[in-house]
Amino acid sequence: MKTKWLMLAVLATMFAGCQKEENGFQSTDGRESASGMRVVIDGEKALRTETTRAGETKVYFEGGYATGAGLYNTVEHPIVAAHPDEGYEVDYFYGGPQNQPKKYDYDKSDSISFQVDLDGKDHLFHCGFKKKQQLTLTVQADPSEGGMISLDGMSFFRERSRKIYSGEKWFIQAVPSEGYKFVGWNVLEGDVVIDNFRSASTLITMKHANTKISARFVKKEYVTINLSFNLQFGAFVNVIDNTNHVSKQFDGAKGSFQVEKGANVTVRVNPGSIKNGRQLYPTAQVDDITVWGNNGRGSIIANSHGWTVNFTADSNSKVLIHCKFGKPIN
């Protein structure tokens, strides 16, 4: 056991020496040394190297530490990773064999963890941390009467600012007022990554500058759908606004409904509900359903030979449902 700890102490001393003098790093250039392939982690602000009881070597810097330094055989694929302290972020983190000193590079991949293919070569990594920049995030509703914003679980109608570290993620949410809908986020100034510009609930990541964003709301527009049957037929009919998840039902020979303009709409006649006057005809069937634009004064928008028709409600529409006696309803 004493021999094991002595070997670990020697290994840690060797890494510390390599970190203090980068020019002293000598690659084996494909010739595996008697003890294996070396992974060395260096940096301008390296403080010390420690080896845990589990055998993991940690190289400590001002602002964080790095793991993955050690001796490996040629078939191993060690993971070399940087671990920033609270309030710090990676400044630089790169490494590789002598002929590819930046084979793995945080600046290019935005990754702080690399699985290393040693390929019979020693690898030298450079690591450094810096204090996170504290930035101001301002979120506002535009127009404010169209809805409110939620930032960090607090809702407000006009504008809210708070201090956020660069690289930090925050959840934001836009809540439309009655009669309005959310249409997207605008970056008015600054530098921020928004996961989904079109989603009312999304994550943002602060980058390198004070940032102001706004939620855009617009008033909803509605169109009218007029339903009618041939002759005196009628039925239970569902009008489903698939876009806003709203369903309305009517029972009769005709009906009129409003849905949001641009919504995807389904008109569905309920099987077994067709009637002539007050008499129910369970063996009647729907011959076809035709949708006309502009209340029947335009062209055919959709046509379906069956019980259901789908269409986009871009304008006022007239839906004519043609029923007939015939085979039993499926």
Side-chain angles (χ1 to χ4, degrees):
M1 179 62 73
K2 289 183 179 180
T3 303
K4 176 182 177 182
W5 289 112
L6 179 61
M7 289 178 65
L8 291 174
V10 172
L11 178 60
T13 303
M14 179 183 70
F15 290 144
C18 290
Q19 289 151 10
K20 298 298 182 184
E21 189 176 345
E22 178 183 339
N23 292 335
F25 177 81
Q26 299 293 328
S27 172
T28 57
D29 291 329
R31 300 183 302 276
E32 183 176 3
S33 67
S35 54
M37 299 290 95
R38 293 187 301 161
V39 174
V40 176
I41 301 175
D42 191 11
E44 296 174 0
K45 297 181 180 179
L47 301 176
R48 66 187 187 279
T49 298
E50 293 182 1
T51 302
T52 67
R53 288 185 174 273
E56 180 184 43
T57 300
K58 292 184 176 181
V59 182
Y60 285 89
F61 301 84
E62 181 183 322
Y65 66 93
T67 55
L71 287 174
Y72 302 92
N73 61 47
T74 54
V75 298
E76 290 185 272
H77 291 78
I79 294 176
V80 180
H83 307 268
D85 290 340
E86 183 72 26
Y88 284 80
E89 61 185 336
V90 172
D91 186 14
Y92 60 88
F93 181 41
Y94 64 90
Q98 194 172 43
N99 62 338
Q100 289 180 280
K102 288 192 175 183
K103 181 178 180 180
Y104 307 95
D105 193 351
Y106 164 76
D107 282 341
K108 294 180 179 178
S109 65
D110 208 30
S111 175
I112 59 173
S113 178
F114 301 108
Q115 187 168 27
V116 179
D117 181 8
L118 294 173
D119 194 26
K121 300 181 180 69
D122 290 341
H123 280 57
L124 174 62
F125 280 82
H126 301 268
C127 185
F129 302 93
K130 62 182 179 180
K131 283 188 176 181
K132 284 184 176 180
Q133 187 179 5
Q134 199 170 47
L135 305 168
T136 299
L137 171 64
T138 301
V139 184
Q140 65 182 30
D142 180 26
S144 58
E145 70 270 14
M148 63 181 181
I149 307 298
S150 175
L151 173 65
D152 191 23
M154 299 183 65
S155 298
F156 52 93
F157 280 99
R158 295 189 180 276
E159 184 175 290
R160 178 67 57 87
S161 296
R162 69 165 301 130
K163 295 291 185 180
I164 296 178
Y165 283 120
S166 61
E168 236 180 321
K169 284 183 177 289
W170 281 84
F171 177 77
I172 56 175
Q173 185 176 21
V175 183
S177 300
E178 184 69 27
Y180 285 80
K181 65 178 179 179
F182 170 80
V183 293
W185 298 97
N186 264 347
V187 179
L188 304 178
E189 59 184 57
D191 184 15
V192 68
V193 174
I194 300 178
D195 284 7
N196 189 339
F197 276 87
R198 297 296 180 186
S199 174
S201 301
T202 189
L203 289 172
I204 62 170
T205 305
M206 296 292 287
K207 298 299 283 184
H208 308 293
N210 295 330
T211 296
K212 179 182 285 188
I213 63 175
S214 68
R216 293 184 291 125
F217 302 100
V218 297
K219 282 188 175 182
K220 290 182 178 181
E221 294 183 67
Y222 295 91
V223 295
T224 301
I225 298 176
N226 292 295
L227 303 173
S228 63
F229 287 81
N230 62 308
L231 302 177
Q232 69 272 36
F233 282 104
F236 284 108
V237 178
N238 282 335
V239 180
I240 305 166
D241 180 345
N242 301 295
T243 302
N244 297 286
H245 309 290
V246 177
S247 179
K248 300 178 181 180
Q249 179 176 285
F250 88 99
D251 173 26
K254 61 182 181 180
S256 181
F257 295 97
Q258 281 196 324
V259 298
E260 186 178 345
K261 185 176 181 179
N264 175 264
V265 175
T266 298
V267 174
R268 178 180 299 149
V269 181
N270 295 344
S273 68
I274 296 177
K275 57 185 179 179
N276 187 345
R278 296 184 178 181
Q279 180 64 47
L280 187 67
Y281 287 87
T283 60
Q285 65 180 9
V286 172
D287 186 26
D288 61 61
I289 306 175
T290 305
V291 184
W292 295 83
N294 296 318
N295 279 328
R297 295 186 294 273
S299 59
I300 295 177
I301 296 175
N303 198 334
S304 173
H305 296 290
W307 297 88
T308 301
V309 66
N310 292 285
F311 61 98
T312 301
D314 288 329
S315 63
N316 294 332
S317 305
K318 182 177 181 180
V319 179
L320 178 60
I321 302 170
H322 191 275
C323 302
K324 68 177 183 178
F325 297 110
K327 296 178 294 182
I329 297 174
N330 293 328

